[in-house]
Amino acid sequence: MMKQVATAEVSSMLEKGHAYAAKGNYRQALKLFNKVLAKAPDSSAAWYNKALAQNFLNQVPQALESFDKALALAPNDVDAWFAKGVTLADSNRHKAALECYFKALEIDPGFDQVWMNIGMAYADLGNNAEALNWYDKDLLVRPTDTEVLLCKGRALEKLHRGREAIESYKRALSITPDDAEILLMCGNFARNGQRLDEALEYLQKAMQNNPDLEMLSGIYLSTKMQLSDWSGFDELRRLVVQKLKRKESAISLFKLMELMDDPALQLSAAKVEAQADRVAGAAPDRATLTQQGEKIRIGYFSADFREHPMAYLLEELISLHDRERFELVAFSFGPGGDDDAMRLRLQRLFDRFVDVNDKSDEDVTAMSREAGIDVAINLGGYTKHARNGIFALRAAPLQVSFLGYPGTMAVDYMDYIIADRFVVTQESRRYVSESVVTMPGTYFPTSRQYQVSAYPVSRSQQGLPESGFVFCCFNRNEKILPERFQIWMRILEAVPGSVLWLYTGSNRETAEDNLCSEAEKAGISRDRLVYASRVDHDVHLARHRLADLFLDTLPYNAHTTATDALWLGLPVLTQIGKAFHARVAASLLHAVGLPELITETAEEYEALAIELATNRVKLQAIRDKLVANRDKLVANRDATALFNTKDYTRSLEKAYREMTGRYRRGEKAADIVA
């Protein structure tokens, strides 16, 4: 709120300035406030008004300077302290913002309008438990404030208190039932709980009320993709891309990968996300790096040290690290408890395993620095439950993006990305902001410690025909785009008696019905689609032996699902794309010695699938190349770069040593060939 000054000499100019500001003409308002200050330089109100105008014009450093001048003249002005705090928070300087908010409360303990902002600052610092205390305090005074209710719901979600979170969202919705933002929150919550049909209802209503709401169109499209509901797909994808090209937040970067094969757009969108996600923090002093000759301390940070594909991929790598040269510390956050079998296995493998789920980003950063972590490994990137604020605050002198997010993060606080020559090529290097570590085979680690069920599995048990060719794709069904599905239907038409075996995960009834309807539109009977049920991981691995050929998706390739298939001797057919995430299957196939299964175009992909299904001799030659003895799975496979985890670990350690060596010599991060 603009403030008045009492002197008659400047009141006219000040009132005009207020009028301009009320109309959004902050440049003209600023000119008038400067004229006021030329006549009354000791007017704290004039400095305050000038600061507000500067902030609206995105002149943040100048605005903060003007706030300081106002407060030097009127140190007990709670409005100025509050407004300065808001400006700092908008610049992602949340710790400094809190200092301003608490200064306002120190002056006026009854200044309750600051309570929600204190909560938001704590939430942005990763301390959702403390944020919740302030939201509850605010709601005692303003029980129907929907903005506070939404903030409370978000904090409860972060604390994994889902039932309370939806109560807060629904309470807000009961107050303003047509509010698109609240509908989006309710839809997102239902979506996170895999209640996708319910989520779609909320999101459809939100789209009717405000289709331009930030992130709404992308979340709506992603939800439809999870249900394999392709109605309006082209129009929605076009809308999302248009927003991204306008530098607007429209969709999560991970979900964008399922829709687009455009490394330039991915980089641009990542920069927008990075700006929104930015937390101010200083790099630690160089002296924090361990001394030459000491063990290098590696910190692995993840929400997925639990029953999760990430954990399976890392298990053998962690076990093979050279403990004479490296000390490994796990920083675990996200869902999952001590009753999780995989979590328990990983706890035994790390030198230290620290649960930081209830700690703020600042607390975790401090813990990492106190532990003397030299290299912090970000295993999440822009994925669910990731906590990039820890890295923005600089958890370690060197920070590396690895495995969980297949693309650039486009932030200056990530020094390196683990890649290979197939996922980051000379052509695509310009779209990666980090220094690139090029692994010798593939960037993708695997584990040979998978447990494969010894219990016999049969086609009839899985609903498959006893004879006939079985194509399969165990990628999440949201990776299947309409154009790829149409290719699959043409393949089925060309191979009589063949079936397509798919995995639809949660909400499978709706997704399966939608896919069957799409098949029928293409002239393929719905009984030629077979759906894999959810089973234990060891049984899922074993049933790969029932399929003949894995058909990959584009643009988001099979990653872990491809390594599962190849480990069990099942060939994977892929079409290589341009972006990192669209080239992973090609990287894996090169590493396992099967480049002949990599196609360049959709036409080549379709033709080769049909050829392999109708030329059993050629297909068997490929299988023999992968696995010499399919029954015992003893083979060529184990000697390849893809499944030689020991050599992979040594190469990764070489990269860690080189990056720390560079740092000790005072050199900047640079590309490394491991």
Side-chain angles (χ1 to χ4, degrees):
M1 180 182 295
M2 295 289 177
K3 288 190 175 182
Q4 302 283 347
V5 292
T7 60
E9 184 180 3
V10 298
S11 61
S12 177
M13 284 188 293
L14 198 57
E15 286 175 6
K16 287 181 180 179
H18 293 153
Y20 278 121
K23 294 177 181 178
N25 190 344
Y26 298 108
R27 293 193 183 281
Q28 191 61 38
L30 185 58
K31 289 180 181 179
L32 287 164
F33 296 144
N34 281 329
K35 287 183 179 180
V36 170
L37 286 167
K39 295 180 178 295
D42 293 333
S43 169
S44 63
W47 282 111
Y48 172 87
N49 289 327
K50 178 179 179 178
L52 292 180
Q54 288 171 319
N55 190 39
F56 279 117
L57 291 169
N58 202 31
Q59 299 173 9
V60 175
Q62 298 90 331
L64 291 172
E65 185 178 343
S66 296
F67 278 128
D68 287 341
K69 289 182 178 179
L71 288 165
L73 294 164
N76 291 326
D77 187 338
V78 293
D79 290 332
W81 282 112
F82 176 66
K84 181 183 176 183
V86 171
T87 301
L88 287 164
D90 288 343
S91 303
N92 293 314
R93 296 169 62 183
H94 304 294
K95 189 174 181 180
L98 276 176
E99 293 174 2
C100 292
Y101 296 150
F102 281 119
K103 183 65 177 178
L105 279 182
E106 179 186 321
I107 297 165
D108 180 4
F111 189 62
D112 56 24
Q113 74 185 76
V114 77
W115 292 345
M116 182 183 75
N117 293 75
I118 292 174
M120 290 192 296
Y122 274 121
D124 286 323
L125 289 168
N127 191 342
N128 288 285
E130 186 60 30
L132 192 59
N133 292 333
W134 288 94
Y135 298 146
D136 283 336
K137 186 179 178 73
D138 196 298
L139 287 168
L140 289 174
V141 177
R142 287 170 283 273
T144 60
D145 190 315
T146 56
E147 188 175 2
V148 184
L149 287 167
L150 290 181
C151 288
K152 179 179 179 178
R154 282 192 288 265
L156 287 164
E157 275 199 81
K158 293 284 188 180
L159 293 167
H160 312 299
R161 292 162 60 178
R163 185 173 299 178
E164 295 169 84
I166 193 59
E167 286 176 3
S168 188
Y169 291 144
K170 286 185 174 179
R171 186 173 157 195
L173 193 60
S174 69
I175 297 166
T176 51
D178 293 323
D179 188 296
E181 184 177 3
I182 301 174
L183 288 163
L184 171 58
M185 291 296 173
C186 291
N188 223 7
F189 180 82
R191 181 168 169 262
N192 290 337
Q194 295 302 312
R195 301 187 306 279
L196 300 182
D197 292 303
E198 176 188 341
L200 201 58
E201 291 182 17
Y202 284 121
L203 297 171
Q204 283 174 335
K205 188 173 182 181
M207 286 291 289
Q208 292 167 3
N209 294 340
N210 185 6
D212 293 326
L213 180 65
E214 185 177 281
M215 296 297 291
L216 174 57
S217 55
I219 291 172
Y220 179 54
L221 176 55
S222 297
T223 306
K224 288 170 69 69
M225 290 299 294
Q226 286 180 274
L227 292 168
S228 295
D229 177 353
W230 299 331
S231 57
F233 173 80
D234 290 334
E235 182 181 348
L236 278 169
R237 182 166 60 176
R238 194 179 306 113
L239 175 62
V240 167
V241 171
Q242 286 172 350
K243 289 186 175 184
L244 292 173
K245 288 183 176 179
R246 294 197 299 265
K247 312 297 184 187
E248 298 175 13
S249 295
I251 192 170
S252 78
L253 294 179
F254 200 67
K255 291 298 178 183
L256 176 61
M257 290 177 173
E258 295 171 356
L259 298 170
M260 300 295 296
D261 180 21
D262 185 339
L265 182 63
Q266 198 74 34
L267 174 62
S268 174
K271 288 179 178 178
V272 173
E273 178 73 16
Q275 189 63 33
D277 204 30
R278 183 71 200 212
V279 179
D285 187 83
R286 283 186 173 272
T288 60
L289 197 67
T290 54
Q291 296 302 309
Q292 184 75 36
E294 293 183 12
K295 290 183 181 181
I296 298 172
R297 296 191 184 95
I298 309 294
Y300 285 93
F301 294 73
S302 180
D304 299 322
F305 294 133
R306 55 190 171 95
E307 187 65 33
H308 187 277
M310 170 83 73
Y312 282 100
L313 295 173
L314 288 175
E315 184 178 13
E316 189 174 9
L317 168 67
I318 299 303
S319 72
L320 290 173
H321 263 308
D322 182 355
R323 293 314 208 274
E324 296 296 318
R325 293 186 174 188
F326 297 91
E327 181 181 336
L328 307 185
V329 183
F331 292 86
S332 175
F333 42 86
D338 290 333
D339 59 343
D340 186 293
M342 174 54 77
R343 177 187 172 95
L344 292 171
R345 298 212 307 259
L346 290 172
Q347 284 177 346
R348 290 190 289 268
L349 292 177
F350 281 96
D351 296 304
R352 279 182 285 168
F353 191 98
V354 188
D355 190 324
V356 295
N357 191 47
D358 61 347
K359 304 294 184 183
S360 71
D361 291 348
E362 283 193 325
D363 289 339
V364 179
T365 300
M367 292 169 68
S368 179
R369 293 187 186 185
E370 288 168 10
I373 299 300
D374 299 310
V375 184
I377 310 298
N378 186 346
L379 291 165
Y382 295 119
T383 60
K384 189 176 180 182
H385 304 306
R387 290 178 58 178
N388 293 319
I390 294 168
F391 297 91
L393 292 165
R394 272 284 172 185
L398 291 164
Q399 302 191 143
V400 180
S401 179
F402 179 38
L403 192 59
Y405 179 73
T408 184
M409 289 186 65
V411 288
D412 56 11
Y413 56 77
M414 296 309 300
D415 304 300
Y416 292 93
I417 185 172
I418 306 298
D420 60 55
R421 64 189 178 94
F422 302 106
V423 293
V424 177
T425 65
Q426 290 182 341
E427 172 63 25
S428 64
R429 175 64 185 86
R430 58 189 167 137
Y431 302 118
V432 177
S433 67
E434 301 89 346
S435 293
V436 177
V437 174
T438 301
M439 295 291 283
T442 176
Y443 86 100
F444 208 81
T446 56
S447 174
R448 295 166 298 178
Q449 298 178 353
Y450 281 169
Q451 298 298 313
V452 182
S453 174
Y455 186 79
V457 291
S458 67
R459 283 192 170 191
S460 60
Q461 288 173 345
Q462 298 296 318
L464 296 167
E466 291 295 346
S467 61
F469 198 91
V470 176
F471 297 101
C472 81
C473 180
F474 292 145
N475 293 351
R476 291 177 287 108
N477 64 288
E478 55 263 41
K479 287 187 178 183
I480 304 171
L481 297 193
E483 48 264 38
R484 183 65 26 168
F485 190 79
Q486 290 301 313
I487 292 173
W488 290 351
M489 294 305 97
R490 291 197 296 271
I491 292 170
L492 289 182
E493 184 177 19
V495 184
S498 63
V499 297
L500 177 59
W501 194 14
L502 301 172
Y503 179 73
T504 51
S506 303
N507 295 268
R508 53 182 303 167
E509 185 176 338
T510 301
E512 290 170 11
D513 187 60
N514 284 335
L515 287 168
C516 284
S517 296
E518 293 294 334
E520 289 177 333
K521 290 178 187 176
I524 299 297
S525 173
R526 64 173 50 217
D527 61 12
R528 294 184 68 184
L529 300 187
V530 181
Y531 298 100
S533 58
R534 185 183 292 273
V535 295
D536 290 339
H537 188 253
D538 62 334
V539 178
H540 173 63
L541 290 175
R543 66 183 174 185
H544 281 75
R545 296 167 178 155
L546 305 175
D548 296 298
L549 182 64
F550 188 112
L551 296 177
D552 195 15
T553 47
L554 189 76
Y556 203 120
N557 287 171
H559 295 186
T560 306
T561 45
T563 63
D564 288 348
L566 294 169
W567 177 250
L568 270 300
L570 176 62
V572 175
L573 174 64
T574 193
Q575 179 188 340
I576 192 168
K578 298 187 288 289
F580 190 130
H581 61 281
R583 300 177 65 86
V584 173
S587 169
L588 303 177
L589 287 166
H590 273 289
V592 83
L594 290 175
E596 59 265 42
L597 291 176
I598 304 167
T599 60
E600 297 284 343
T601 67
E603 291 76 18
E604 290 177 10
Y605 173 95
E606 182 176 338
L608 185 53
I610 295 168
E611 182 183 1
L612 292 173
T614 54
N615 185 341
R616 291 283 186 161
V617 173
K618 183 170 183 175
L619 180 61
Q620 189 58 50
I622 289 172
R623 298 187 82 117
D624 289 343
K625 189 176 176 182
L626 179 61
V627 177
N629 184 325
R630 188 166 186 245
D631 293 330
K632 295 182 180 179
L633 291 180
V634 187
N636 310 329
R637 174 204 66 184
D638 296 23
T640 64
L642 180 58
F643 293 111
N644 191 333
T645 315
K646 184 176 180 180
D647 282 357
Y648 179 96
T649 306
R650 298 291 86 84
S651 296
L652 186 63
E653 290 174 343
K654 177 187 174 186
Y656 290 161
R657 291 196 303 273
E658 184 163 342
M659 62 180 71
T660 52
R662 282 182 171 277
Y663 190 89
R664 285 195 183 95
R665 295 190 297 270
E667 299 173 9
K668 293 182 179 180
D671 289 359
I672 292 172
V673 177

